[in-house]
Amino acid sequence: MVTFEEIKNNKDIKTFITLADKSLLALGYTEHSFAHVGKVSKDAEYILKTLGADEHTIELAKIAGYMHDIGNLVNRIDHSQSGAIMAFRILDHMEMPAEDIATIVTAIGNHDEGTGVAVNDVAAALILADKCDVRRSRVRNNDITTFDIHDRVNYSVSSSKLTVNSENTEIALELEIDTDISPVMDYFEIFLGRMVMCRKAAEKLGLRFRLYINSQSIM
């Protein structure tokens, strides 16, 4: 089996992640580099491990999390599909078993809102981990006077925590937002589709998705 550590240490994958993020920086997007993919990988691992998934499935989720945004190297539009094709080529050349490649490629190809569906547990964990990565440190614009809505919303988040409850019945995203920087309505303007996607992904895992903003239950 190709391991997560091999993926992390692969020079080509590192290059693709770096240059994909460089393209997004030029387009004015928030951070999609190693901090993001590392966090997504870690949170996908946390979700599946907490729910009792086997180590092999967890390893595949970590790999999918780490590679999920390489398609931004091609174009932001349809980056999940182009990323899945890129991942297929890389993993095939690394001689990963076809079944494992299929699981990872399916997850990557289904992680973006609008087209993505949580068709398996790895895809569901990836969706939840990716869409719940909202944090101030993702903002790269140093001039607050020129913030767009994505900058404002991410910058307003002083605390973000994704947790599965002790009964393994709910997964909750808990955010602390400075409403002087961004009103809660701005969050929903750009994240409503992602939160709906999270709800469906949670259901795939047998969970209920909950969103708390400033300790108030939103959904």
Side-chain angles (χ1 to χ4, degrees), residues 35-215:
H36 173 61
V37 301
K39 187 176 190 308
V40 170
S41 181
K42 183 177 179 180
D43 284 350
E45 175 187 21
Y46 159 73
I47 292 167
L48 293 182
K49 183 175 288 187
T50 302
L51 296 178
D54 62 86
E55 289 299 322
H56 184 67
T57 300
I58 293 169
E59 192 80 353
L60 296 181
K62 290 165 65 178
I63 293 171
Y66 197 77
M67 298 181 71
H68 78 280
D69 267 343
I70 58 175
N72 285 306
L73 183 67
V74 178
N75 197 293
R76 179 61 181 174
I77 298 172
D78 296 330
H79 75 281
S80 58
Q81 286 84 5
S82 54
I85 294 169
M86 291 173 65
F88 173 86
R89 181 181 183 277
I90 295 166
L91 297 174
D92 187 45
H93 282 191
M94 295 177 76
E95 299 185 348
M96 176 180 274
E99 187 173 352
D100 292 347
I101 293 175
T103 299
I104 292 169
V105 166
T106 297
I108 293 174
N110 277 282
H111 84 269
D112 202 35
E113 62 267 22
T115 59
V117 178
V119 294
N120 58 41
D121 288 356
V122 172
L126 173 57
I127 288 167
L128 285 160
D130 180 41
K131 304 312 171 193
C132 291
D133 184 17
V134 188
R135 51 188 164 83
R136 178 169 294 181
S137 56
R138 293 195 72 181
V139 178
R140 298 188 280 201
N141 183 354
N142 294 318
D143 184 1
I144 195 169
T145 64
T146 62
F147 276 4
D148 64 11
I149 188 170
H150 293 84
D151 290 334
R152 288 199 310 275
V153 168
N154 279 277
Y155 193 80
S156 72
V157 177
S158 59
S159 174
S160 174
K161 183 167 62 173
L162 183 66
T163 55
V164 177
N165 67 355
S166 58
E167 295 83 12
N168 286 357
T169 58
E170 293 184 353
I171 183 166
L173 174 61
E174 301 175 58
L175 301 176
E176 291 295 327
I177 291 179
D178 185 341
T179 55
D180 289 334
I181 297 173
S182 176
V184 173
M185 187 57 69
D186 279 3
Y187 180 87
F188 281 101
E189 183 176 335
I190 62 172
F191 281 105
L192 181 58
R194 301 179 196 185
M195 296 299 95
V196 171
M197 196 178 189
C198 284
R199 176 176 58 79
K200 294 178 179 178
E203 290 172 355
K204 176 66 178 177
L205 296 171
L207 302 170
R208 179 184 178 189
F209 180 72
R210 301 293 301 273
L211 173 64
Y212 295 91
I213 297 179
N214 296 345
S215 301

